[in-house]
Amino acid sequence: MSSEHSQVVVGFDFTHSARAAMYRAITVANRAPFHVLHFVCAIEPHGQIPRIPHHGRVDLAYVERVQQALLDEIAAELKVAAIADRVHFFVHVRIGHAAEEILDLAREVGADLIIVGSKGLTGVERIVLGSVAEHVVREARCTVEVARPKTYEHVDLLKVVDADHHGHYTPPHRYTYSTSCVSLRPDEWPLY
């Protein structure tokens, strides 16, 4: 790493899979505060964010509404996690295709990591719609992490408890050798 901060680009489009990417990015930044998060939301030129409808075309006013909604969402998550003062982030809202905008931002900030969500498209959906995550993984010039919401069933594991040590501690058994001498072949001996 060439600088003291690690730039992390996070794709976000207000979907369930994008929230998984946001949670993962916040977890990474909380554990290692030298990460700087860059959340990017791309709006298709003739589209809209379903959660934030508009009437007409995508313009600067709509981009500002999306930016404020994204900022509010991230701030709320950081507040719930009680780490708002520890995580540094920027919000970028761009007009264009999601994969291209994520990759452009990654290039502009010199990203060390990109985190994107995956909607889990199958067969025909992937052919018709394309996969943003797949495109980013294929074209990125840094590590890409695809975040998905956890769907494994709950597993009860053994609980970790502190134990009092009674008596003398015995370290684990280690093998010993009968002699500590090492035989080396002298350099002047010829090789046959």
Side-chain angles (χ1 to χ4, degrees):
M1 195 172 349
S2 61
S3 70
E4 63 184 46
H5 290 87
S6 177
Q7 308 301 319
V8 180
V9 172
V10 185
F12 193 83
D13 62 359
F14 296 92
T15 61
H16 189 61
S17 61
R19 281 185 177 74
M22 177 180 65
Y23 299 147
R24 179 67 183 136
I26 289 172
T27 300
V28 166
N30 183 35
R31 290 182 181 166
F34 60 86
H35 289 90
V36 177
L37 306 180
H38 295 269
F39 291 92
V40 58
C41 180
I43 307 167
E44 295 287 339
H46 302 290
Q48 66 180 350
I49 305 295
R51 182 178 159 200
I52 309 167
H54 70 86
H55 306 289
R57 59 179 197 179
V58 175
D59 57 4
L60 183 58
Y62 182 69
V63 168
E64 288 176 349
R65 284 179 44 214
V66 171
Q67 185 173 7
Q68 188 59 49
L70 179 55
L71 183 62
D72 293 343
E73 183 118 1
I74 296 165
E77 286 302 322
L78 293 174
K79 187 176 180 181
V80 167
I83 56 171
D85 59 334
R86 294 181 54 196
V87 176
H88 301 285
F89 70 94
F90 295 92
V91 173
H92 308 264
V93 178
R94 297 179 170 204
I95 299 172
H97 182 63
E100 293 302 324
E101 295 304 326
I102 291 169
L103 292 168
D104 284 348
L105 180 62
R107 183 180 38 76
E108 290 168 16
V109 301
D112 298 292
L113 173 66
I114 301 172
I115 302 175
V116 292
S118 174
K119 294 177 178 69
L121 298 177
T122 59
V124 175
E125 293 172 323
R126 183 175 291 127
I127 292 170
V128 174
L129 301 174
S131 169
V132 172
E134 185 178 341
H135 186 156
V136 170
V137 167
R138 189 174 54 248
E139 301 292 327
R141 295 181 179 178
C142 65
T143 301
V144 178
E145 181 176 332
V146 179
R148 289 188 171 173
K150 181 180 173 180
T151 57
Y152 292 117
E153 293 182 22
H154 177 72
V155 176
D156 289 325
L157 300 174
L158 295 176
K159 294 187 186 226
V160 177
V161 295
D162 290 329
D164 293 329
H165 294 286
H166 300 292
H168 179 71
Y169 172 72
T170 305
H173 176 72
R174 292 204 162 93
Y175 292 101
T176 59
Y177 298 95
S178 60
T179 177
S180 61
C181 297
V182 177
S183 294
L184 294 177
R185 182 186 61 79
D187 290 336
E188 58 273 359
W189 287 5
L191 291 174
Y192 294 103

